[in-house]
Amino acid sequence: MAEQLRLMAVHAHPDDESSKGAATMAKYVAEGVQVLVVTCTGGERGSVLNPKLDRPDVWANIAEIRRAEMDSARAILGIDQAWLGFVDSGLPEGDPLPPLPEGCFALQDVAVAAAPLVKLMREFRPHVVTTYDEDGGYPHPDHIMCHKVSVAAFDAAGDPERFPELGAPWQPLKLYYDIGFSKAKILALHEGMLALGKESPYAEWLERWEDRPDKGPRITTRVECASYFPVRDDALRAHATQVDPDGFWFHVPMELQQQAWPTEDFELVRSVVDSPMPESDLFAGVRETAHVR
């Protein structure tokens, strides 16, 4: 019998899996792919971004609440999920920036922090791994560390001489970076809102774009998953402390999102299989090579 396809998505905090690549994961789950989200930290130092939940009782139990939110999002997406066990670093603010908290994820030695992820890769045996690019998607210390650890584990998991105590070697076949936003995507959504006679939440974002690089040219793979955008949003709302249901994320009508930009986008950065570019499937080249379904 053919082997089942397996996808591993490595994220920094609970809620990241629902804001980055969630519709892609839901699509693959519906197609019979086994999907495992690895969450590097517990999100213990995250902000409460929903004003309705900015209360002392919530802050007092934030670690437990964020785990419960992850449970809800996991069920909505239909995925499996594992905690890597590191402590959230928080997002430092100020000038100069304060030092990061002792013992936090971002201060770990990369080789040491990669070990539990190597173990998970060898146990789950993913064909494809997704994570963040070199600036973390945005420069949160945990996102940058997540990138470093994911790349290190991808390179080590298949090497029998590295971490021999962590199980039999397994080499994932492809590694992707999430490209959540490109200038073309933001412009398409912005112009779509204006065409509907609505105020665009992206106007200021576009004004500031000159100061930041456009990752659009890096995109190699566009996965059409518009029909799963509602699932993505339901999973995002499950992280109630992190998302204001009346806020920015939900200003653009679903129909416009599905029409203006029906894909989630990725950059292929490592591959040991051949697949023609551009791609529309994270498993392009894998299905044929690995004889999987």
Side-chain angles (χ1 to χ4, degrees), residues 9-27:
V10 188
H11 289 283
H13 311 106
D15 80 87
D16 289 327
E17 85 296 326
S18 296
S19 61
K20 302 166 187 66
T24 295
M25 291 191 296
K27 164 190 162 69

Side-chain angles (χ1 to χ4, degrees), residues 201-213 248:
Y202 298 107
E204 290 187 17
W205 200 338
L206 285 169
E207 288 176 5
R208 297 195 306 267
W209 201 279
E210 297 303 322
D211 299 328
R212 56 188 295 184
F248 175 87

